[in-house]
Amino acid sequence: QVQLVESGGGLVQAGGSLRLSCAASGRTLSNYAMGWFRQAPGKEREFVSTITWSGGRTYYADSVKGRFTISRDNAKNTVYLQMSSLKPEDTAVYVCAAGSSFYNRRSSEFDYWGQGTQVTVSS
Protein backbone atom coordinates (compact mmCIF):
# COMPACT_ATOMS: atom_id res chain seq x y z
CA GLN A 1 0.00 0.00 0.00
CA VAL A 2 1.01 3.57 -0.67
CA GLN A 3 -0.34 6.45 1.37
CA LEU A 4 -0.23 9.86 -0.29
CA VAL A 5 -0.64 13.21 1.46
CA GLU A 6 -0.81 16.49 -0.43
CA SER A 7 0.08 19.90 0.96
CA GLY A 8 0.80 23.40 -0.24
CA GLY A 9 -2.60 24.51 -1.39
CA GLY A 10 -4.10 27.85 -0.47
CA LEU A 11 -5.55 31.12 -1.69
CA VAL A 12 -3.56 33.07 -4.24
CA GLN A 13 -4.26 35.97 -6.57
CA ALA A 14 -4.38 35.50 -10.31
CA GLY A 15 -0.88 35.55 -11.73
CA GLY A 16 0.59 34.14 -8.55
CA SER A 17 2.35 30.87 -7.83
CA LEU A 18 2.02 27.88 -5.53
CA ARG A 19 4.00 24.70 -5.07
CA LEU A 20 2.11 21.57 -4.14
CA SER A 21 3.79 18.59 -2.53
CA CYS A 22 2.71 14.97 -2.39
CA ALA A 23 4.48 12.92 0.26
CA ALA A 24 4.30 9.15 0.22
CA SER A 25 4.61 6.52 2.88
CA GLY A 26 4.25 2.78 2.95
CA ARG A 27 6.23 2.06 -0.17
CA THR A 28 8.85 3.88 -2.13
CA LEU A 29 7.50 6.06 -4.89
CA SER A 30 10.40 5.18 -7.14
CA ASN A 31 8.43 2.18 -8.38
CA TYR A 32 5.55 4.32 -9.64
CA ALA A 33 4.71 6.88 -12.23
CA MET A 34 3.02 9.80 -10.53
CA GLY A 35 0.23 12.05 -11.63
CA TRP A 36 -1.67 15.14 -10.56
CA PHE A 37 -5.37 15.59 -11.14
CA ARG A 38 -7.78 18.34 -10.17
CA GLN A 39 -11.49 18.61 -9.58
CA ALA A 40 -13.46 21.82 -9.52
CA PRO A 41 -16.93 22.04 -7.95
CA GLY A 42 -19.53 20.51 -10.22
CA LYS A 43 -16.95 19.24 -12.68
CA GLU A 44 -15.36 15.90 -13.39
CA ARG A 45 -11.85 15.07 -12.24
CA GLU A 46 -9.37 16.41 -14.76
CA PHE A 47 -5.91 15.11 -15.61
CA VAL A 48 -3.18 17.71 -15.04
CA SER A 49 0.25 16.13 -15.35
CA THR A 50 2.27 12.94 -15.04
CA ILE A 51 5.93 12.03 -14.54
CA THR A 52 7.91 8.83 -15.01
CA TRP A 53 9.35 6.92 -12.05
CA SER A 54 12.79 8.36 -12.81
CA GLY A 55 11.56 11.90 -13.45
CA GLY A 56 13.01 11.82 -16.92
CA ARG A 57 9.78 12.40 -18.78
CA THR A 58 6.81 14.61 -18.06
CA TYR A 59 3.47 15.27 -19.69
CA TYR A 60 0.95 18.05 -19.21
CA ALA A 61 -2.62 18.80 -20.10
CA ASP A 62 -2.87 21.59 -22.64
CA SER A 63 -4.64 23.78 -20.08
CA VAL A 64 -1.54 23.93 -17.84
CA LYS A 65 1.32 23.44 -20.30
CA GLY A 66 3.94 26.14 -19.92
CA ARG A 67 2.61 27.21 -16.51
CA PHE A 68 2.89 24.09 -14.35
CA THR A 69 5.96 21.93 -13.71
CA ILE A 70 5.88 18.46 -12.20
CA SER A 71 8.96 17.04 -10.52
CA ARG A 72 9.89 14.39 -8.02
CA ASP A 73 12.52 13.59 -5.41
CA ASN A 74 12.57 9.85 -4.91
CA ALA A 75 15.02 10.17 -2.03
CA LYS A 76 12.36 12.18 -0.19
CA ASN A 77 9.51 10.07 -1.55
CA THR A 78 7.84 13.27 -2.69
CA VAL A 79 6.33 14.64 -5.89
CA TYR A 80 5.83 18.33 -6.57
CA LEU A 81 3.66 20.49 -8.76
CA GLN A 82 4.96 24.01 -9.26
CA MET A 83 2.14 26.20 -10.49
CA SER A 84 2.78 29.64 -11.95
CA SER A 85 0.72 32.28 -13.73
CA LEU A 86 -2.32 30.92 -11.96
CA LYS A 87 -5.77 31.71 -13.30
CA PRO A 88 -9.17 31.65 -11.59
CA GLU A 89 -10.05 28.61 -13.70
CA ASP A 90 -7.24 26.71 -11.97
CA THR A 91 -9.32 26.75 -8.79
CA ALA A 92 -9.88 23.13 -7.74
CA VAL A 93 -8.93 20.41 -5.32
CA TYR A 94 -5.61 19.01 -6.50
CA VAL A 95 -4.95 15.34 -5.92
CA CYS A 96 -1.85 13.26 -6.53
CA ALA A 97 -1.93 9.65 -7.62
CA ALA A 98 0.47 6.75 -8.12
CA GLY A 99 0.22 4.34 -11.00
CA SER A 100 2.09 1.75 -12.98
CA SER A 101 2.50 3.63 -16.24
CA PHE A 102 3.59 7.11 -17.29
CA TYR A 103 1.10 6.84 -20.15
CA ASN A 104 -1.89 6.66 -17.80
CA ARG A 105 -4.20 9.63 -18.21
CA ARG A 106 -7.48 8.41 -16.77
CA SER A 107 -8.32 8.26 -13.07
CA SER A 108 -9.19 4.58 -13.31
CA GLU A 109 -5.64 3.77 -14.38
CA PHE A 110 -4.06 4.99 -11.15
CA ASP A 111 -3.79 2.75 -8.13
CA TYR A 112 -3.31 5.05 -5.13
CA TRP A 113 -4.75 8.47 -4.32
CA GLY A 114 -4.27 11.22 -1.82
CA GLN A 115 -7.07 13.23 -0.21
CA GLY A 116 -6.28 16.42 -2.08
CA THR A 117 -5.40 20.02 -1.31
CA GLN A 118 -7.54 23.03 -2.16
CA VAL A 119 -6.20 25.68 -4.52
CA THR A 120 -8.22 28.86 -4.88
CA VAL A 121 -7.22 31.56 -7.34
CA SER A 122 -8.91 34.91 -6.94
CA SER A 123 -9.35 37.35 -9.81
Side-chain angles (χ1 to χ4, degrees):
Q1 292 287 336
V2 176
Q3 291 79 43
L4 303 172
V5 179
E6 302 91 340
S7 62
L11 174 63
V12 63
Q13 289 188 333
S17 299
L18 281 175
R19 188 176 82 154
L20 306 183
S21 299
C22 172
S25 61
R27 285 185 181 179
T28 176
L29 280 184
S30 61
N31 296 327
Y32 297 93
M34 296 298 296
W36 284 96
F37 287 76
R38 66 186 183 186
Q39 188 164 17
K43 295 188 177 181
E44 292 187 355
R45 184 172 287 179
E46 175 189 16
F47 169 81
V48 174
S49 180
T50 188
I51 188 168
T52 55
W53 66 270
S54 67
R57 292 184 66 186
T58 58
Y59 183 83
Y60 300 92
D62 287 343
S63 57
V64 307
K65 196 174 298 181
R67 300 188 298 120
F68 290 12
T69 302
I70 190 171
S71 62
R72 66 191 298 162
D73 185 338
N74 286 339
K76 295 182 178 180
N77 238 18
T78 302
V79 178
Y80 305 96
L81 186 68
Q82 177 68 48
M83 307 185 295
S84 302
S85 302
L86 283 162
K87 306 175 182 179
E89 51 264 44
D90 294 319
T91 295
V93 174
Y94 284 72
V95 187
C96 68
S100 60
S101 174
F102 164 74
Y103 298 100
N104 293 347
R105 303 286 183 265
R106 293 178 289 189
S107 299
S108 59
E109 296 172 325
F110 286 80
D111 302 313
Y112 302 101
W113 293 86
Q115 293 298 311
T117 185
Q118 176 70 47
V119 172
T120 303
V121 184
S122 63
S123 57

PDB file of all heavy atoms in Angstrom, residues 39-45 91-92:
ATOM      1  N   GLN A  39     -10.034  18.660  -9.448  1.00  0.00           N
ATOM      2  CA  GLN A  39     -11.488  18.614  -9.581  1.00  0.00           C
ATOM      3  C   GLN A  39     -12.086  19.888  -9.033  1.00  0.00           C
ATOM      4  O   GLN A  39     -11.919  20.215  -7.852  1.00  0.00           O
ATOM      5  CB  GLN A  39     -12.061  17.398  -8.854  1.00  0.00           C
ATOM      6  CG  GLN A  39     -13.541  17.192  -9.120  1.00  0.00           C
ATOM      7  CD  GLN A  39     -14.007  15.804  -8.739  1.00  0.00           C
ATOM      8  OE1 GLN A  39     -13.338  15.084  -8.001  1.00  0.00           O
ATOM      9  NE2 GLN A  39     -15.160  15.409  -9.257  1.00  0.00           N
ATOM     10  N   ALA A  40     -12.761  20.607  -9.903  1.00  0.00           N
ATOM     11  CA  ALA A  40     -13.455  21.822  -9.518  1.00  0.00           C
ATOM     12  C   ALA A  40     -14.891  21.471  -9.151  1.00  0.00           C
ATOM     13  O   ALA A  40     -15.423  20.454  -9.601  1.00  0.00           O
ATOM     14  CB  ALA A  40     -13.428  22.817 -10.673  1.00  0.00           C
ATOM     15  N   PRO A  41     -15.544  22.315  -8.353  1.00  0.00           N
ATOM     16  CA  PRO A  41     -16.930  22.037  -7.952  1.00  0.00           C
ATOM     17  C   PRO A  41     -17.837  21.856  -9.158  1.00  0.00           C
ATOM     18  O   PRO A  41     -17.812  22.652 -10.093  1.00  0.00           O
ATOM     19  CB  PRO A  41     -17.313  23.282  -7.155  1.00  0.00           C
ATOM     20  CG  PRO A  41     -16.031  23.815  -6.645  1.00  0.00           C
ATOM     21  CD  PRO A  41     -15.021  23.533  -7.721  1.00  0.00           C
ATOM     22  N   GLY A  42     -18.586  20.764  -9.148  1.00  0.00           N
ATOM     23  CA  GLY A  42     -19.530  20.511 -10.218  1.00  0.00           C
ATOM     24  C   GLY A  42     -18.927  19.985 -11.501  1.00  0.00           C
ATOM     25  O   GLY A  42     -19.633  19.819 -12.496  1.00  0.00           O
ATOM     26  N   LYS A  43     -17.623  19.723 -11.479  1.00  0.00           N
ATOM     27  CA  LYS A  43     -16.950  19.236 -12.685  1.00  0.00           C
ATOM     28  C   LYS A  43     -16.309  17.878 -12.422  1.00  0.00           C
ATOM     29  O   LYS A  43     -16.069  17.494 -11.292  1.00  0.00           O
ATOM     30  CB  LYS A  43     -15.892  20.228 -13.147  1.00  0.00           C
ATOM     31  CG  LYS A  43     -16.450  21.566 -13.600  1.00  0.00           C
ATOM     32  CD  LYS A  43     -15.375  22.433 -14.224  1.00  0.00           C
ATOM     33  CE  LYS A  43     -15.943  23.733 -14.739  1.00  0.00           C
ATOM     34  NZ  LYS A  43     -14.894  24.580 -15.368  1.00  0.00           N
ATOM     35  N   GLU A  44     -16.020  17.188 -13.506  1.00  0.00           N
ATOM     36  CA  GLU A  44     -15.356  15.897 -13.393  1.00  0.00           C
ATOM     37  C   GLU A  44     -13.877  16.088 -13.071  1.00  0.00           C
ATOM     38  O   GLU A  44     -13.298  17.137 -13.343  1.00  0.00           O
ATOM     39  CB  GLU A  44     -15.508  15.117 -14.705  1.00  0.00           C
ATOM     40  CG  GLU A  44     -16.922  14.678 -14.994  1.00  0.00           C
ATOM     41  CD  GLU A  44     -16.994  13.765 -16.196  1.00  0.00           C
ATOM     42  OE1 GLU A  44     -15.961  13.553 -16.855  1.00  0.00           O
ATOM     43  OE2 GLU A  44     -18.099  13.269 -16.476  1.00  0.00           O
ATOM     44  N   ARG A  45     -13.288  15.042 -12.504  1.00  0.00           N
ATOM     45  CA  ARG A  45     -11.853  15.072 -12.235  1.00  0.00           C
ATOM     46  C   ARG A  45     -11.095  15.209 -13.550  1.00  0.00           C
ATOM     47  O   ARG A  45     -11.403  14.520 -14.529  1.00  0.00           O
ATOM     48  CB  ARG A  45     -11.445  13.805 -11.492  1.00  0.00           C
ATOM     49  CG  ARG A  45      -9.993  13.777 -11.085  1.00  0.00           C
ATOM     50  CD  ARG A  45      -9.720  12.592 -10.181  1.00  0.00           C
ATOM     51  NE  ARG A  45     -10.287  12.789  -8.864  1.00  0.00           N
ATOM     52  CZ  ARG A  45     -10.204  11.882  -7.884  1.00  0.00           C
ATOM     53  NH1 ARG A  45      -9.601  10.727  -8.110  1.00  0.00           N
ATOM     54  NH2 ARG A  45     -10.732  12.122  -6.709  1.00  0.00           N
ATOM     55  N   THR A  91      -8.747  27.048 -10.094  1.00  0.00           N
ATOM     56  CA  THR A  91      -9.318  26.748  -8.789  1.00  0.00           C
ATOM     57  C   THR A  91      -9.908  25.344  -8.771  1.00  0.00           C
ATOM     58  O   THR A  91     -10.746  24.997  -9.608  1.00  0.00           O
ATOM     59  CB  THR A  91     -10.402  27.775  -8.424  1.00  0.00           C
ATOM     60  OG1 THR A  91      -9.790  29.064  -8.285  1.00  0.00           O
ATOM     61  CG2 THR A  91     -11.097  27.402  -7.132  1.00  0.00           C
ATOM     62  N   ALA A  92      -9.449  24.529  -7.813  1.00  0.00           N
ATOM     63  CA  ALA A  92      -9.883  23.131  -7.736  1.00  0.00           C
ATOM     64  C   ALA A  92      -9.218  22.477  -6.537  1.00  0.00           C
ATOM     65  O   ALA A  92      -8.300  23.045  -5.929  1.00  0.00           O
ATOM     66  CB  ALA A  92      -9.498  22.374  -9.005  1.00  0.00           C
TER      67      ALA A  92
END
